[in-house]
Amino acid sequence: QVELVESGGGLVQVGGSLQLSCAASGGSFSMRDMAWFRQAPGKEREFVAGIRWRTGNTRNADSVKGRFTISRNNAENTVYLQMNSLKPEDPAVYYCAGRRRGYSSSNNDPTSYHHWGQGTQVTVSS
């Protein structure tokens, strides 16, 4: 089965930058969409950014638009999240996720994703 492994989390100052990576392995990679979600203490898991694998088309949550960029490396089956201008409200466990075709790109419900990484902690200090 496909496994997703995140890396790159850590501590960063407000206004700083961090890049997260998620590598897919363990089987054939046939997911149509990849995405990043985050979950802060006491909050539900929320969509951050997504990418359609074949086309590279992306979408971002309003809360991170203009600050975060999702991208992928097809040859390495890896998706990235470049986070810039980090804010005090950004700290959370960040998860990468994947799903097969059959879902609208506007569907950002975490339950629509079939494969999940273990998460990586992002902490923002001020």
Side-chain angles (χ1 to χ4, degrees), residues 68-88:
F68 292 7
T69 302
I70 187 171
S71 62
R72 85 276 196 256
N73 185 314
N74 290 345
E76 298 179 354
N77 288 340
T78 301
V79 64
Y80 303 93
L81 184 68
Q82 177 65 49
M83 304 183 293
N84 298 325
S85 302
L86 284 159
K87 298 180 177 180

Side-chain angles (χ1 to χ4, degrees), residues 72-120:
R72 85 276 196 256
N73 185 314
N74 290 345
E76 298 179 354
N77 288 340
T78 301
V79 64
Y80 303 93
L81 184 68
Q82 177 65 49
M83 304 183 293
N84 298 325
S85 302
L86 284 159
K87 298 180 177 180
E89 55 264 38
D90 292 326
V93 176
Y94 282 71
Y95 299 88
C96 64
R99 67 186 180 191
R100 295 183 179 275
R101 63 180 299 165
Y103 300 91
S104 170
S105 61
S106 63
N107 183 353
N108 299 322
D109 193 322
T111 63
S112 70
Y113 284 81
H114 310 109
H115 305 285
W116 292 87
Q118 83 289 345
T120 185

Side-chain angles (χ1 to χ4, degrees), residues 1-3 25-27 115:
Q1 62 179 2
V2 174
E3 294 185 6
S25 62
H115 305 285

Side-chain angles (χ1 to χ4, degrees), residues 32-33 50-57 72 99 103-105:
R32 187 180 190 186
D33 296 327
I51 185 168
R52 184 139 289 179
W53 195 261
R54 182 179 63 83
T55 65
N57 291 344
R72 85 276 196 256
R99 67 186 180 191
Y103 300 91
S104 170
S105 61

